[in-house]
C-alpha cells in the first residue's frame, strides 16, 4: 500500500509507538481481523462508521490543528459530512491534504449550484486550477467573519490575519486609504461583487454599473456613513445622458482613494 | 452519507467541466522505481495547444484565454524514503500545471525530513485580460498578470515545540487603461495609460508549543506593500465627447503608495478529555500607508480657454484592526454537541491628506482632510447538534450581533474647519434550525433554515429582514447516485422611499451512474433564479425621480453532462458539455421611468462548452491524449462581444 509515502506512515516512521501511530491507532486491534482473513467487521472500518464517529476518531489526533478549530460548529459537521467523504487516507489523489479527488471536484460533488456559478463566463479560475476553493473557504469551519456583520459567510477564512480573503490576491483594494468607500469596509466586497461567477463584467452584481450605484445612492432612510441616507447623485448627473451611466469613468478609485474624497483620482 | 462509495470517487472527475487539458487519465497506479533508499514516481504530460477564435477575441481572452504553443501541461515528481531515514529528506514532491505560457500556471513543492523540518511552497500565475466591457464604457481595459507565492518552513514539525517561518508574495504587473475627468463634471473625460506595478510581501515567524495542556500558536508578521503605477497620456486627446471644445494636451500623474502592516496572531486550543474543548484566536494588525500624488495637466476646457493645473496631495492612512474569537464546545453526552462562539472585531481607519491645487484659472487652493471610520462589532452564536435517533439528527442555533460605527469627516481650509461626526448602532438576531433524516437505506433528507432580523443596516441593499430555506435529498443505491436540492433566500430592506426586496431560488438535480465497468455517466442541472426590486432616486433632464425602481431578474439554467467510456484496456473517451444560459425574465413591478433602466434589468446570455478527450495507452508508461473544447458565447445586450472559439491539444503522458 506504499504507506511509507503517506503522512500517517511518516508519523509511524518517526518512532511513535504503533498504538498511537500505526494501523491500530486508527483501526483498533487487528489480530482478529488478520485471523479472519481481512474481515472488515473485526476492525474499526471507517467506511462503516457513522459520520460522528469518524469525526471523533480523526479528532483524537487532529483536534488541535489550527485549521480545525471551528470544526465542531462548521456547516459540514452539521450536515454530517465526515472526514472520509473528502479525504482518502490510503488512496489519496493529491500531493497534499490526502484528498480523494482534486479539490474542486470534491466540492462540486455536493455543491452543484456552485459548479453552475463557476461555469459562467466571468469567474474566478477554479476550473482552470489556479484558484482553489480553500483559498477563500475553510471546509473545516471558520470563525465569525470580522469584515462583515454577523456570522455569515460561514465557511470563509480570514486572510492576512483578520481581513477579507479577497484581499490576499486583490492587493490594491486592501488599503488603508485616506478616503475609504464605507460600503467596502462595512459590508465587504460582496456589497457589489459576487464571489464565484457571473455573466457580468468584473463579477458585478449588475450588468450596468449605474444601477448598482443608484441602488444605494438614493438618499433614503437613515443609511450610510452620516446616518441620513446615502448621498443621492446630484442634479448635474443627468441619467438621460449615457455619459453619466458609467460612474467609474470618473469615480475611478471606487474602492478607496488617497487623492479625492469622491474617488475621482 | 456514510462514505463515498468507490464508483462515486470514480465519477467525480466528470462532475466538473475543467479545460480539456491536462488529462486526468493515468497509465495505471505507478509504483515508481527504487533509487537507493528512495522510491521515485514521476509523471509528465507534454503537449501542444491550438486555438481559434471567431468574433470577439477580447471577450474570449477575458473568459478563457488559452493560446497556442508547447506546454508542460502537468507534471508530478515524488521521492520518498522507504524507511523514514533519508539522508537529506524523507519526502520531496513537486507538481506543476500549465508551465510554458499557459495563462494559468502553478507549481508546488513539499520537502520533508522526519523529525526535523518541513517546507511547503506554492507558486501561481494568473494572466488576466479584461477588455473593460461594461465598466467605464469599456475604457478600463487591463492586461495584467497576478503572481502569488507562499513559502512555509516548519522546524520540528512532529514535536510539541515547533518553529514556524513563512514568506508570501502577491504581485500584479502589466499595462492597463484608466480615465480621468478634468476640471468639473460638465467637462470631458480622457483616456489614460498606466503601467500597473503592485507588490505585497509578508514575512512571518512563529512558534507552537504546549503548556499545561494548552496548545499555543503565535505568529508575528510584517507585511510590506508598494505600488507605483504612473498614469499618462501622449499627444492631443479630444476626450469622450468629441463634439465639445474640451481637449487634453498633456497629462501625467505619479502616485507612489507604500507602507507596512505589522501584525500578531495568537491561537490557543485546549481539549478537555472528551467533555469539552476551547479554542481562541486573537489578531492585531496595524496597517499604515503613506502616499504622494502629483498630477499635472494642460488642456482646453469646454469654454475654449487654455487651462493648466497641478495637484499635489500627500498624507498617510492608518488602519489598526483587532479581532478576538473564543469558541467553547461541550459534549454532555455522546449524542449532543453544544458550541458557543464569541467574536469581537474593532477597526479604526484614519486618513490624513493635504491637498494643494495650482491652476491658471483659480490660482491656488489648499485643503486639509481628515477622515475617521471606526467599526466595532461583537457576535455571539450558540449552536447545538443532537443525534436524536440512529437515523435522525437535529441542529439549531441562535446568534446575536451588535455593531457600532463612528464616523468623522473633517475638512480644513484657511481659517475654517468643517467637521461632521456621527455614531450609529446596529443589531442582528438570527436563528438556525435543521435536521438530517435517513428514512430508509440509501436515502438522506436534509432541511436547513435561517431567519434573521437586523434593526439598522448600513446600506439599502444589506440584509435586514431575511430568511432562507434549504432542502436536499440524496439517494444512493449500488451504482446509482441521485441528488435533488432546493434553496431559497429572501431579504426585505425598506426605509422611506427606498424599498429593497431580493429573492434567490436555486434548484439542482444531479445524477451519477456507473452503468457498466466501461461506462460512467453524469448529468447535472441547476436553475439559479434571482430577482431584486430596489428603490432609487436620480435626476434626468433636470427632473428628479424619487421612489423609482431598479429591477433585476436573472434566470440561469446550467446543464453539465459527462460520459466516460473505456474501449478495451487501452482507449478511453471522455465527453462533456457545459451549457449555461441566463434567460432573463419579466417582473410584475413597473420599471423606472427613465428608459435607460429597461435594458439593464436583465442580461440574457448563453455560454456553452462541449468537449471531448481521447486517451490511448501506447505502452505501460506512455499515453497519447488529444482533446477538443468548443466555446460559444452569445449575449443580447451587446452582440459585439459574441464569439465562437475552440481549444485543442495533443499530448504525451509519461508516467513511471
Amino acid at each position: 500500500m506504499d504507506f511509507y509515502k503517506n503522512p500517517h506512515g511518516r508519523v509511524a516512521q518517526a518512532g511513535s509507538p504503533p498504538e498511537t501511530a500505526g494501523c491500530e491507532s486508527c483501526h483498533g486491534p487487528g489480530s482478529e481481523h488478520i485471523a479472519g482473513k481481512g474481515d472488515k467487521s473485526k476492525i474499526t472500518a471507517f467506511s462503516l462508521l457513522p459520520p460522528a464517529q469518524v469525526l471523533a476518531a480523526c479528532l483524537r489526533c487532529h483536534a488541535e490543528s489550527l485549521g480545525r478549530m471551528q470544526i465542531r460548529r462548521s456547516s459540514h459537521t452539521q450536515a454530517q459530512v465526515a472526514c472520509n467523504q473528502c479525504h482518502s487516507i490510503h488512496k489519496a489523489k493529491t500531493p497534499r491534504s490526502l484528498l480523494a479527488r482534486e479539490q474542486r471536484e470534491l466540492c462540486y460533488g455536493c455543491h452543484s449550484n456552485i459548479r453552475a456559478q463557476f461555469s459562467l463566463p466571468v469567474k474566478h479560475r477554479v476550473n482552470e486550477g489556479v484558484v482553489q476553493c480553500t483559498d477563500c473557504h475553510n471546509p473545516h469551519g471558520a470563525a465569525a467573519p470580522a469584515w462583515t456583520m454577523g456570522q455569515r459567510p460561514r465557511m470563509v477564512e480570514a486572510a492576512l490575519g483578520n481581513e477579507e480573503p479577497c484581499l490576499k490576491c486583490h492587493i490594491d483594494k486592501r488599503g488603508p486609504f485616506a478616503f475609504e468607500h464605507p460600503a467596502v469596509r462595512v459590508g465587504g466586497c460582496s456589497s457589489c461583487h459576487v464571489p464565484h461567477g457571473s455573466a457580468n463584467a468584473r463579477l458585478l452584481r449588475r450588468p450596468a454599473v449605474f444601477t448598482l450605484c443608484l441602488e444605494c445612492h438614493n438618499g433614503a432612510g437613515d443609511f450610510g456613513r452620516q446616518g441620513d441616507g446615502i448621498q443621492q447623485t446630484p442634479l448635474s448627473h443627468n441619467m438621460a445622458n449615457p455619459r453619466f451611466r458609467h460612474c467609474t469613468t470618473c469615480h475611478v478609485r471606487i474602492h478607496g482613494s488617497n487623492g479625492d474624497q469622491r474617488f475621482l483620482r | 452519507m456514510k462514505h463515498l462509495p468507490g464508483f462515486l470517487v470514480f465519477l467525480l472527475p466528470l462532475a466538473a467541466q475543467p479545460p480539456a487539458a491536462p488529462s486526468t487519465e493515468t497509465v495505471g497506479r505507478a509504483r515508481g522505481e527504487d533509487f537507493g533508499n528512495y522510491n521515485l514516481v514521476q509523471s509528465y504530460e507534454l503537449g501542444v495547444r491550438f486555438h481559434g477564435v471567431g468574433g470577439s477575441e477580447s471577450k474570449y481572452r477575458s473568459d478563457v484565454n488559452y493560446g497556442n504553443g508547447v506546454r508542460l501541461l502537468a507534471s508530478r515528481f515524488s521521492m520518498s524514503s522507504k524507511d523514514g531515514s533519508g539522508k537529506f529528506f524523507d519526502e520531496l514532491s513537486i507538481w506543476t500545471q500549465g508551465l510554458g505560457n499557459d495563462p494559468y500556471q502553478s507549481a508546488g513543492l513539499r520537502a520533508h525530513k522526519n523529525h526535523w523540518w518541513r517546507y511547503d511552497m506554492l507558486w501561481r500565475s494568473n494572466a488576466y485580460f479584461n477588455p473593460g466591457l461594461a465598466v467605464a464604457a469599456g475604457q478600463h481595459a487591463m492586461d495584467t498578470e497576478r503572481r502569488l507565492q507562499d513559502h512555509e518552513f516548519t522546524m520540528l514539525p512532529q514535536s510539541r515545540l515547533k518553529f514556524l517561518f513563512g514568506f508570501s508574495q502577491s504581485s500584479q504587473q502589466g499595462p492597463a487603461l484608466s480615465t480621468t475627468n478634468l476640471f468639473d463634471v460638465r467637462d470631458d473625460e480622457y483616456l489614460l495609460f498606466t503601467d500597473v506595478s503592485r507588490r505585497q510581501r509578508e514575512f512571518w515567524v512563529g512558534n507552537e508549543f504546549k503548556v499545561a495542556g494548552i496548545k499555543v500558536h503565535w505568529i508575528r508578521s510584517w507585511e510590506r506593500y508598494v505600488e507605483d503605477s504612473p498614469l499618462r497620456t501622449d499627444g492631443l486627446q479630444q476626450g469622450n465627447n468629441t463634439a465639445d471644445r474640451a481637449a487634453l494636451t498633456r497629462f501625467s500623474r505619479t502616485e507612489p503608495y507604500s507602507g507596512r502592516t505589522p501584525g500578531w496572531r495568537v491561537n490557543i486550543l485546549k481539549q478537555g478529555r472528551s467533555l469539552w474543548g476551547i479554542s481562541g484566536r486573537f489578531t492585531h494588525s496595524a496597517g499604515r500607508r503613506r502616499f504622494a500624488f502629483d498630477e499635472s495637466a494642460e488642456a482646453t476646457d469646454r469654454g475654449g480657454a487654455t487651462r493648466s493645473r497641478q495637484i499635489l496631495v500627500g498624507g498617510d492612512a492608518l488602519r489598526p484592526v483587532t479581532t478576538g474569537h473564543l469558541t467553547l464546545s461541550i459534549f454532555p453526552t455522546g449524542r449532543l454537541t453544544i458550541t458557543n462562539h464569541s467574536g469581537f472585531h474593532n477597526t479604526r481607519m484614519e486618513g490624513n491628506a493635504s491637498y494643494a491645487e495650482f491652476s491658471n484659472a483659480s490660482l491656488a487652493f489648499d485643503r486639509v482632510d481628515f477622515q475617521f471610520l471606526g467599526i466595532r462589532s461583537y457576535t455571539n452564536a450558540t449552536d447545538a447538534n443532537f443525534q436524536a435517533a440512529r437515523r435522525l439528527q437535529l441542529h439549531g442555533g441562535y446568534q446575536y450581533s451588535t455593531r457600532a460605527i463612528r464616523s468623522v469627516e473633517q475638512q480644513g481650509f484657511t481659517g475654517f474647519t468643517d467637521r461632521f461626526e456621527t455614531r450609529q448602532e446596529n443589531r442582528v438576531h438570527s436563528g438556525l434550525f435543521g435536521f438530517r433524516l435517513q428514512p430508509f437505506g440509501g436515502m438522506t433528507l436534509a432541511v436547513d433554515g435561517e431567519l434573521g432580523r437586523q434593526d439598522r443596516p448600513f446600506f439599502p441593499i444589506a440584509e435586514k429582514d431575511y430568511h432562507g430555506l434549504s432542502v436536499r435529498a440524496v439517494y444512493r443505491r449500488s451504482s446509482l447516485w441521485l441528488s435533488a436540492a432546493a434553496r431559497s433566500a429572501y431579504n426585505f430592506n425598506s426605509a422611506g422611499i427606498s424599498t429593497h426586496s431580493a429573492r434567490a431560488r436555486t434548484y439542482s438535480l444531479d445524477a451519477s451512474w456507473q452503468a457498466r465497468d466501461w461506462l460512467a455517466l453524469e448529468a447535472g442541472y441547476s436553475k439559479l433564479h434571482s430577482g431584486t426590486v430596489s428603490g432609487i432616486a436620480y435626476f434626468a433632464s433636470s427632473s428628479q425621480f424619487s421612489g423609482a425602481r431598479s429591477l433585476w431578474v436573472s434566470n440561469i439554467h446550467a446543464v453539465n453532462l459527462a460520459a466516460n467510456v473505456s474501449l478495451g484496456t487501452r482507449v478511453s473517451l471522455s465527453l462533456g458539455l457545459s451549457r449555461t444560459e441566463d434567460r432573463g425574465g419579466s417582473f410584475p413591478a413597473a420599471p423606472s421611468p427613465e428608459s435607460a433602466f429597461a435594458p439593464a434589468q436583465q442580461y440574457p446570455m448563453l455560454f456553452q462548452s462541449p468537449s471531448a478527450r481521447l486517451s490511448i495507452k501506447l505502452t505501460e508508461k506512455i499515453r497519447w491524449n488529444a482533446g477538443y473544447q468548443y466555446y460559444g458565447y452569445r449575449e443580447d445586450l451587446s452582440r459585439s462581444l459574441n464569439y465562437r472559439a475552440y481549444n485543442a491539444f495533443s499530448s504525451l503522458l509519461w508516467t513511471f
Side-chain angles (χ1 to χ4, degrees):
Chain A
M1 294 177 66
D2 296 347
F3 200 59
Y4 64 92
K5 297 178 183 176
N6 190 296
H8 292 103
R10 275 191 288 280
V11 175
Q13 287 174 340
S16 302
E19 61 274 18
T20 60
C23 307
E24 293 186 346
S25 65
C26 296
H27 294 288
S31 54
E32 290 186 23
H33 171 68
I34 295 169
K37 297 183 178 176
D39 184 352
K40 284 177 80 172
S41 66
K42 303 294 184 187
I43 57 164
T44 303
F46 283 72
S47 58
L48 303 176
L49 289 181
Q53 288 185 27
V54 173
L55 179 67
C58 296
L59 289 183
R60 282 206 302 267
C61 295
H62 291 287
E64 293 184 345
S65 300
L66 206 59
R68 298 175 194 90
M69 287 170 65
Q70 304 293 330
I71 197 164
R72 295 288 188 185
R73 55 183 289 277
S74 82
S75 300
H76 280 157
T77 300
Q78 289 183 348
Q80 295 196 306
V81 178
C83 313
N84 59 344
Q85 289 180 21
C86 299
H87 298 279
S88 175
I89 306 307
H90 299 299
K91 295 179 181 174
K93 293 291 189 292
T94 59
R96 291 169 69 170
S97 306
L98 293 179
L99 296 180
R101 279 290 160 198
E102 288 293 331
Q103 193 185 96
R104 62 171 179 263
E105 292 156 3
L106 280 172
C107 300
Y108 287 166
C110 292
H111 299 279
S112 55
N113 59 322
I114 305 300
R115 176 183 63 196
Q117 293 170 17
F118 280 113
S119 300
L120 286 160
V122 182
K123 70 273 183 182
H124 279 114
R125 276 15 185 201
V126 170
N127 290 346
E128 290 76 6
V130 78
V131 178
Q132 299 198 349
C133 305
T134 50
D135 284 330
C136 303
H137 297 276
N138 184 342
H140 303 119
W147 58 90
T148 187
M149 185 77 175
Q151 236 188 319
R152 292 187 298 159
R154 288 179 174 275
M155 307 278 273
V156 175
E157 189 66 272
L160 301 159
N162 51 24
E163 295 186 59
E164 200 163 4
C166 315
L167 302 174
K168 185 179 178 188
C169 299
H170 297 276
I171 51 179
D172 54 316
K173 312 294 188 297
R174 187 184 185 195
F177 302 107
F179 306 100
E180 304 269 10
H181 192 172
V184 181
R185 302 303 158 203
V186 178
C189 305
S190 59
S191 304
C192 301
H193 300 275
V194 290
H196 295 145
S198 170
N200 307 327
R202 312 222 176 185
L203 293 173
L204 288 171
R205 289 189 173 276
R206 301 286 181 269
V209 172
F210 69 103
T211 57
L212 188 72
C213 301
L214 289 178
E215 286 177 13
C216 284
H217 286 271
N218 58 15
D222 55 2
F223 300 114
R225 179 172 191 158
Q226 298 180 352
D228 58 354
I230 299 175
Q231 188 179 28
Q232 186 185 338
T233 53
L235 175 63
S236 59
H237 288 47
N238 173 17
M239 283 296 147
N241 183 346
R243 176 181 178 220
F244 292 100
R245 294 183 214 140
H246 298 288
C247 311
T248 50
T249 304
C250 297
H251 302 277
V252 287
R253 301 287 191 201
I254 201 61
H255 299 100
S257 169
N258 294 313
D260 189 275
Q261 62 183 338
R262 293 169 297 169
F263 315 115
L264 293 173
R265 59 180 75 85
Chain B
M1 291 193 296
K2 288 182 180 175
H3 66 289
L4 278 180
F7 79 90
L8 184 55
V9 168
F10 175 68
L11 283 174
L12 281 172
L14 306 178
Q17 178 72 357
S23 308
T24 54
E25 284 81 4
T26 65
V27 289
R29 182 162 168 75
R31 302 301 295 264
E33 294 180 0
D34 290 344
F35 181 79
N37 190 32
Y38 290 98
N39 179 271
L40 276 68
V41 178
Q42 301 178 71
S43 169
Y44 303 95
E45 183 177 1
L46 185 68
V48 58
R49 286 192 189 274
F50 315 90
H51 90 291
V53 182
S56 172
E57 180 141 8
S58 295
K59 178 66 173 155
Y60 167 80
R61 288 192 64 198
S62 175
D63 295 346
V64 184
N65 212 15
Y66 285 112
N68 298 328
V70 177
R71 311 276 190 270
L72 180 60
L73 293 167
S75 74
R76 191 165 164 178
F77 171 89
S78 73
M79 193 169 175
S80 308
S81 71
K82 297 168 77 174
D83 60 0
S85 57
K87 188 174 181 182
F88 301 108
F89 52 82
D90 293 305
E91 179 197 8
L92 176 66
S93 296
I94 302 170
W95 59 97
T96 71
Q97 180 193 303
L99 296 188
N101 214 24
D102 254 359
Y104 318 110
Q105 304 178 59
S106 62
L109 185 151
R110 164 168 280 195
H112 182 205
K113 172 71 181 156
N114 269 341
H115 296 296
W116 293 105
W117 54 267
R118 183 177 67 222
Y119 170 68
D120 285 298
M121 186 279 287
L122 183 62
W123 174 89
R124 291 179 279 183
S125 166
N126 183 359
Y128 180 55
F129 177 83
N130 191 312
L133 302 176
V135 179
Q139 293 180 311
H140 286 184
M142 57 192 290
D143 192 1
T144 61
E145 181 178 1
R146 291 181 195 275
R147 289 186 174 180
L148 293 97
Q149 50 180 302
D150 298 286
H151 306 260
E152 290 179 32
F153 183 77
T154 307
M155 286 179 64
L156 308 175
Q158 289 152 332
S159 77
R160 291 189 167 201
L161 177 66
K162 299 174 190 171
F163 296 93
L164 315 159
F165 306 89
F167 168 69
S168 293
Q169 178 168 295
S170 180
S171 67
Q172 185 181 13
Q173 308 277 340
L177 298 177
S178 185
T179 45
T180 189
N181 166 249
L182 283 183
F183 308 128
D184 67 54
V185 70
R186 293 165 296 178
D187 232 299
D188 214 343
E189 297 88 47
Y190 302 94
L191 196 60
L192 305 174
F193 172 81
T194 180
D195 194 7
V196 173
S197 175
R198 300 165 177 142
R199 189 172 64 212
Q200 176 178 278
R201 286 177 169 168
E202 186 184 34
F203 297 89
W204 48 268
V205 298
N207 179 223
E208 190 175 299
F209 59 91
K210 204 164 184 178
V211 56
I214 300 173
K215 190 170 191 175
V216 180
H217 175 284
W218 64 267
I219 281 176
R220 175 80 166 118
S221 63
W222 297 269
E223 177 257 21
R224 165 92 172 142
Y225 181 75
V226 177
E227 176 172 353
D228 194 357
S229 306
L231 292 113
R232 68 171 194 276
T233 182
D234 296 320
L236 185 70
Q237 235 197 92
Q238 288 297 322
N240 286 347
N241 182 5
T242 53
D244 67 9
R245 286 189 287 179
L248 183 65
T249 312
R250 191 182 66 80
F251 182 94
S252 71
R253 181 194 295 166
T254 55
E255 44 183 338
Y257 172 66
S258 66
R260 297 176 191 277
T261 307
W264 286 96
R265 298 166 219 172
V266 179
N267 303 278
I268 57 167
L269 301 100
K270 165 83 176 170
Q271 284 295 119
R273 298 179 185 274
S274 59
L275 290 176
W276 59 276
I278 191 168
S279 65
R281 178 188 174 110
F282 311 93
T283 71
H284 177 76
S285 61
R288 181 182 186 124
R289 300 285 186 267
R290 287 177 292 185
F291 56 88
F293 182 104
D294 180 3
E295 175 186 301
S296 61
E298 292 175 12
T300 303
D301 67 15
R302 61 191 165 83
T306 301
R307 297 278 296 270
S308 64
R309 185 180 74 178
Q310 183 172 21
I311 294 173
L312 299 170
V313 189
D316 62 1
L318 308 169
R319 192 196 298 147
V321 182
T322 304
T323 67
H325 294 97
L326 197 66
T327 304
L328 173 66
S329 303
I330 56 174
F331 321 107
T333 72
R335 299 199 298 177
L336 178 63
T337 300
I338 299 172
T339 61
N340 183 268
H341 178 72
S342 298
F344 169 78
H345 165 226
N346 187 48
T347 299
R348 294 165 52 88
M349 286 163 268
E350 292 180 19
N352 296 280
S354 66
Y355 179 98
E357 179 179 321
F358 308 94
S359 162
N360 67 343
S362 58
L363 300 178
F365 173 72
D366 291 297
R367 191 179 74 223
V368 176
D369 290 287
F370 170 76
Q371 294 220 344
F372 172 84
L373 184 65
I375 306 168
R376 181 180 298 168
S377 65
Y378 171 76
T379 295
N380 187 272
T382 302
D383 295 282
N385 201 327
F386 180 56
Q387 190 74 40
R390 192 170 66 88
R391 293 179 180 273
L392 177 63
Q393 174 251 347
L394 307 170
H395 66 264
Y398 168 74
Q399 178 222 328
Y400 169 74
S401 298
T402 178
R403 178 176 64 196
I405 297 173
R406 194 163 79 86
S407 166
V408 177
E409 293 171 278
Q410 179 175 303
Q411 287 191 329
F413 305 92
T414 307
F416 175 71
T417 298
D418 184 23
R419 181 182 172 94
F420 197 89
E421 186 168 350
T422 58
R423 180 185 168 85
Q424 56 183 284
E425 290 198 10
N426 178 18
R427 294 172 196 84
V428 174
H429 300 266
S430 70
L432 298 164
F433 65 94
F435 66 86
R436 298 284 178 282
L437 178 67
Q438 291 179 294
F440 53 87
M443 179 78 183
T444 303
L445 181 67
V447 177
D448 295 280
E450 181 174 1
L451 177 69
R453 293 288 179 269
Q454 185 167 180
D455 64 357
R456 184 175 175 168
F458 188 74
F459 47 97
I461 62 167
E463 286 184 333
K464 187 170 188 285
D465 298 337
Y466 64 93
H467 64 271
L469 185 66
S470 164
V471 180
R472 179 180 168 89
V474 177
Y475 176 73
R476 190 179 64 236
R477 176 63 66 190
S478 183
S479 59
L480 181 65
W481 182 81
L482 300 170
S483 169
R487 297 178 181 84
S488 67
Y490 291 79
N491 176 40
F492 303 96
N493 185 352
S494 346
I497 63 163
S498 165
T499 299
H500 175 76
S501 164
R503 56 190 178 186
R505 292 190 293 268
T506 303
Y507 308 95
S508 300
L509 286 169
D510 295 276
S512 296
W513 184 33
Q514 179 80 52
R516 298 283 186 275
D517 288 345
W518 50 271
L519 176 63
L521 301 168
E522 163 137 347
Y525 167 76
S526 294
K527 183 189 176 191
L528 290 74
H529 165 82
S530 65
T532 60
V533 181
S534 304
I536 55 174
Y538 58 90
F539 290 94
S541 304
S542 301
S543 299
Q544 182 171 20
F545 294 87
S546 295
R549 285 168 164 171
S550 169
L551 309 179
W552 167 247
V553 59
S554 169
N555 278 300
I556 294 173
H557 300 261
V559 175
N560 279 272
L561 301 172
N564 202 343
V565 185
S566 297
L567 305 171
T569 56
R570 290 182 173 272
V571 181
S572 69
L573 177 66
S574 300
L575 302 170
L577 169 67
S578 168
R579 188 179 195 278
T580 309
E581 181 177 18
D582 190 340
R583 294 181 182 168
S586 59
F587 235 102
S592 171
E594 171 53 45
S595 60
F597 287 84
Q601 61 192 34
Q602 55 180 312
Y603 195 57
M605 67 96 214
L606 171 65
F607 185 53
Q608 54 186 336
S609 179
S611 66
R613 186 175 61 234
L614 178 69
S615 181
I616 300 175
K617 185 176 175 180
L618 301 178
T619 72
E620 281 304 307
K621 294 184 177 180
I622 297 177
R623 266 189 181 274
W624 173 75
N625 307 298
Y628 177 88
Q629 190 159 10
Y630 167 86
Y631 300 91
Y633 177 79
R634 189 198 77 213
E635 68 176 54
D636 297 342
L637 194 64
S638 170
R639 298 189 178 198
S640 62
L641 295 176
N642 294 355
Y643 67 86
R644 285 187 277 183
Y646 75 89
N647 248 302
F649 82 100
S650 176
S651 70
L652 279 178
L653 173 67
W654 182 32
T655 304
F656 58 102

